[in-house]
Structures are given as structure tokens and as C-alpha cells.
Amino acid sequence: MDRISMPGIRSGPTAGKSVIHLILVLTCMACLYPFLVVLGTSFQEENEILAHGYTIIPEVFSLSAYKVILHDPTVLLRSYGVTILTTAAGTLIGLWVTSSYAFAISRKDYAFRTFLSFFVFFTMLFQGGLVPSYILMVNWLGLKNNVLALILPYLISGWYVLLLKGFLQTLPDALIESAKIDGAGELRIFIRIVIPLSKPPLATVALFFALQYWNDWWLTLLYVDQEKLMKLQYMLIRVLKNMEFLNSSEAMQFGLVKEGMQVPALSARMAMCVLAAGPMLVVFPFFQKYFVRGLTVGSVKG
């Protein structure tokens, strides 16, 4: 039977869609290629990298870089534990603080919404600075070598608040008013109505929080001296610095490295990238379906 074609309706892929799909495929390949190079280089020998450069498929498969980094697995596992703890706790608490603040300033019947909105916007333009922040955390709050020092500074962000506020303002006022008529309080309205309707922006902000806490090494540098509280990113930076020292002439003079010995500094850098970025690559697909919707929803009002 011949296919019936309706006027004005096109069936099948068009030339324009094919071009768009081709561009997207090439873009994905361009984004994937650097990660494959990092992954392949992490399994290369140091001499092979110096002779032939970085590659996706190494000529000689080697685990020397991972053996150097994982020479003491307890240290790495401990830093993984600290990073997972701070990322999970910081994301959950930060999401609650940010969403509740955004809910308050999105309410038209709240008297101080203008002042608090300006307060959030003002903090995006001006910050207290490094020295006052350090004095507050160490001298006033006494959080030196405390896991709370790795969580509190990132608990709220002005941009995240405004992002959630833009979505919460699109929720119909009649929905909240009807809940109040039924006897629901503000906390119950927020937990039972607002949060279930705000999954896309909450998932987006949660991903931002998780990435920020996972990739952070700056707070560890400032507030932590004890090795048991060091996060993964900072621990990997220390490993890299140690390997740079072992490749220097000073290390050979002190007898730490024998002449002609190759320390896998180049491949170790790539191995550290794989160890640090791997968990986030696993987490991201679970948030992907909410990501674009959470960024765009609330940006246009009808």
C-alpha cells in the first residue's frame, strides 16, 4: 500500500535534521576524545609518552602510574571517605538552605522579600575576602581541622537562590492559598507541595552543589592540617607535587631517586584525573534528564 502523504506534514528525516544530528555527533566526539586520551595515557609507560606523546591506545599497557598513586590505599580510601561525606552532607544541607531561602523570597505576601532578594544579589557582587573568612572560620567559630570547615562555606550561593526563585515564582498562588485553607502551615506547604513540584531545578542545583564539593581542594588547604581530614582533590595535588620533586635534580642529589630511574609523573597526572573525575561521571547521567529543564524552567513567564 502506498504511503498517504498529508499536505503540510513531512514524514521522515529532513536534510536540516540530518545536518543537526551530524553536528551533535561531531560535538559529542570532540568532547569524548580528550577523556579517552586521558584514560589511555594513564596506562602508558613514561618512556612511551616522552617518545610518542599522548595516545588513546598505549603500545605497552602499564599500571605503573596507578601503583604509584595507590601505594598506600588506606590514605586514598580515607580521602575518598571525607570527600563523599562532605559532598553528600553539603549537597543535602545546602539544597535545603538554598531552597527554603528561595521559597521565602518568592512569596509575594512576604514583607521582607525585596530586602532579602537585594541581600542575595549584593553578595554576588561583593565578598568579604579571604582574610575575614579565615578569621571567622578559625578564630570565631573554631573550625580549624574540623569537617564542618569543609561544608559551611559553600552551603548557600546567591546564583542558586535566584535560580530556584525564578522557578518558584511560576508556581500558581492559588495552589498555596488552597493549601492554607485546608489548614496547612508554611513548613508543610514547602515540604509536601513545593518540593515535589520543584524536582527539575532542585536536581540541577544538587548537581552544582555536588560538583562544587567534590572538586574542592581550596578549603582543605586553608582549614585542614591533619591528613585524616584531607579531601581527595587536595590529596592528589600533594601526590603530584611529590612526583615533581622526585623528578627534580634535588631528589637525585639526596639519593631519593637513582640515576636513569623514570618516575611516572606524566601518566600519574592522567591517572589522578581518572580517579578524581570517575565518580562524577557516574552520577551525572542520573541528573541529566532534569538538567536542561531545570536551567530553562522559570526563565520565561506567560
Side-chain angles (χ1 to χ4, degrees):
M1 179 180 289
D2 296 335
R3 181 180 297 177
I4 300 175
S5 59
M6 298 293 292
I9 299 178
R10 296 181 180 179
S11 60
T14 61
K17 288 183 178 180
S18 300
V19 172
I20 293 175
H21 291 165
L22 179 61
I23 294 175
L24 291 177
V25 169
L26 294 177
T27 304
C28 293
M29 293 176 62
C31 295
L32 185 61
Y33 179 76
F35 177 75
L36 295 179
V37 172
V38 170
L39 184 61
T41 306
S42 66
F43 295 106
Q44 280 185 278
E45 290 281 357
E46 193 75 6
N47 294 330
E48 182 184 345
I49 298 176
L50 296 175
H52 305 290
Y54 302 133
T55 182
I56 296 178
I57 303 175
E59 294 182 2
V60 179
F61 188 83
S62 174
L63 295 174
S64 58
Y66 291 95
K67 290 179 181 178
V68 171
I69 298 176
L70 301 174
H71 72 285
D72 188 0
T74 57
V75 176
L76 186 66
L77 291 176
R78 190 189 307 120
S79 62
Y80 255 113
V82 174
T83 304
I84 293 173
L85 174 63
T86 55
T87 301
T91 301
L92 293 176
I93 301 174
L95 201 59
W96 174 264
V97 173
T98 303
S99 58
S100 58
Y101 195 110
F103 175 65
I105 62 177
S106 67
R107 296 289 300 276
K108 298 178 182 178
D109 55 349
Y110 183 52
F112 301 101
R113 64 188 299 265
T114 302
F115 169 75
L116 292 179
S117 298
F118 174 77
F119 184 77
V120 171
F121 177 72
F122 186 81
T123 59
M124 297 176 64
L125 301 178
F126 303 98
Q127 296 182 356
L130 177 60
V131 175
S133 301
Y134 185 84
I135 294 175
L136 172 65
M137 296 294 294
V138 176
N139 294 345
W140 291 6
L141 300 180
L143 295 180
K144 183 73 173 179
N145 290 321
N146 193 310
V147 71
L148 291 178
L150 305 176
I151 298 176
L152 290 181
Y154 295 149
L155 275 186
I156 191 168
S157 169
W159 184 62
Y160 299 163
V161 171
L162 296 180
L163 179 65
L164 288 176
K165 176 191 174 185
F167 171 79
L168 295 177
Q169 285 180 334
T170 63
L171 296 179
D173 297 334
L175 190 65
I176 297 177
E177 292 175 358
S178 62
K180 283 186 174 181
I181 294 175
D182 292 337
E186 295 292 341
L187 183 60
R188 189 170 184 179
I189 292 174
F190 178 65
I191 296 176
R192 300 293 296 272
I193 298 178
V194 175
I195 290 181
L197 294 176
S198 307
K199 288 182 180 179
L202 288 177
T204 303
V205 174
L207 179 61
F208 288 152
F209 269 119
L211 290 174
Q212 186 175 32
Y213 278 106
W214 185 270
N215 294 324
D216 174 67
W217 58 271
W218 176 245
L219 297 181
T220 307
L221 177 65
L222 289 178
Y223 305 123
V224 173
D225 295 332
Q226 299 177 0
E227 190 171 291
K228 65 179 182 179
L229 292 177
M230 290 182 180
K231 297 182 68 174
L232 176 65
Q233 305 292 345
Y234 182 74
M235 186 66 66
L236 296 180
I237 290 175
R238 288 185 58 183
V239 173
L240 179 60
K241 293 295 183 182
N242 292 338
M243 277 189 282
E244 289 179 353
F245 173 74
L246 291 177
N247 277 330
S248 65
S249 58
E250 297 179 1
M252 194 172 296
Q253 291 176 1
F254 288 112
L256 298 176
V257 179
K258 297 180 180 180
E259 187 174 356
M261 179 180 175
Q262 285 288 344
V263 179
L266 296 176
S267 57
R269 293 179 182 179
M270 304 304 178
M272 286 188 291
C273 292
V274 174
L275 292 175
M280 286 294 102
L281 294 176
V282 176
V283 171
F284 181 77
F286 295 98
F287 293 88
Q288 186 177 5
K289 64 179 181 179
Y290 297 108
F291 189 70
V292 175
R293 195 156 39 126
L295 285 177
T296 58
V297 71
S299 58
V300 180
K301 291 185 179 180

